[in-house]
Amino acid sequence: MAIKFCPNCGDKLVSVTKFCPNCGNSLTESSGFLSVDNEKVHSINVNAPVPAKIGYGNDIKSDRVIAYKRAMGIEPTADNVVVAQTANMGRMMISTAFAALTQKWFVLSFEKDGILFIGINNLSRFTGKNIFVPKDSISDIGYRGGFLRKVFSFKTDGRNNKYYLSTFMLVCDFQGRNMEKLDDFIEIYK
């Protein structure tokens, strides 16, 4: 039996319908709703949900991340996610303003079969630009750091990838508790 999810809000659809009962999104075949048949399916190209509300950080809340992951066919939990910023000190040396405008932000979701990078913008809203890095392409994974942030790094296809992970974020309800589990998250990729 196929289970369907709304691509806009990630809500599970119990019956065949033309509109999502949760958010009212049109659910035609062309709208890209996700169907899951008892096997792991990742559909990371699901459109970003409509922002929760005006303001900073409203999409980096557990309930929003869970709904978006569900829409992608990923285990709906926020117990394995952290917010990350690309680390590029070269840009920072040129201009702090330039660096702030060009930095990329992600919600990293540490899944058993790889790491899902959920794109977010500078206002912490989902962008719909997501990346999935399969587990078998990840090597030399680890982190270093101190009190306020950690530098998370790994290699994939011979390329070094570095991200800053803040140990806490005021607007994010999962960052602090999940940063304490970072060792457990990366252990599955070693």
Side-chain angles (χ1 to χ4, degrees):
M1 178 176 141
I3 302 170
K4 297 182 190 292
F5 298 93
C6 173
N8 185 54
C9 70
D11 202 41
K12 184 176 178 180
L13 304 171
V14 212
S15 62
V16 178
T17 179
K18 291 184 180 186
F19 299 95
C20 174
N22 185 48
C23 70
N25 187 50
S26 174
L27 298 172
T28 62
E29 288 292 332
S30 62
S31 71
F33 64 84
L34 180 63
S35 178
V36 180
D37 294 314
N38 298 331
E39 63 181 57
K40 192 98 171 161
V41 176
H42 300 312
S43 179
I44 64 167
N45 294 322
V46 173
N47 290 334
V50 175
K53 55 185 171 179
I54 302 292
Y56 176 78
N58 292 315
D59 277 349
I60 55 172
K61 303 281 190 232
S62 294
D63 61 331
R64 299 285 294 164
V65 171
I66 289 169
Y68 197 25
K69 285 176 62 176
R70 182 181 297 125
M72 290 184 232
I74 309 266
E75 182 181 357
T77 181
D79 292 337
N80 61 345
V81 297
V82 294
V83 176
Q85 176 186 20
T86 56
N88 190 333
M89 290 310 290
R91 288 182 184 165
M92 196 64 82
M93 297 297 197
I94 296 170
S95 162
T96 305
F98 178 71
L101 292 173
T102 58
Q103 289 298 327
K104 293 188 179 175
W105 290 83
F106 297 96
V107 172
L108 303 184
S109 183
F110 295 91
E111 303 299 324
K112 291 177 181 151
D113 57 344
I115 303 173
L116 171 64
F117 289 73
I118 302 172
I120 54 177
N121 63 19
N122 290 341
L123 294 175
S124 298
R125 293 192 180 132
F126 298 126
T127 64
K129 296 177 182 174
N130 308 316
I131 303 164
F132 188 81
V133 179
K135 179 180 178 178
D136 57 358
S137 71
I138 297 171
S139 64
D140 297 328
I141 189 167
Y143 69 89
R144 63 176 171 78
F147 179 65
L148 295 176
R149 76 172 181 199
K150 299 186 184 313
V151 179
F152 169 67
S153 63
F154 66 94
K155 284 186 181 178
T156 181
D157 300 325
R159 182 176 168 218
N160 290 322
N161 301 278
K162 290 185 181 180
Y163 300 89
Y164 295 134
L165 309 176
S166 295
T167 53
F168 67 94
M169 295 180 77
L170 294 176
V171 296
C172 182
D173 61 353
F174 53 78
Q175 188 78 0
R177 74 174 180 265
N178 288 349
M179 283 299 293
E180 293 175 6
K181 301 185 278 185
L182 191 57
D183 287 322
D184 296 334
F185 294 161
I186 65 176
E187 186 63 32
I188 62 175
Y189 306 105
K190 291 186 174 183

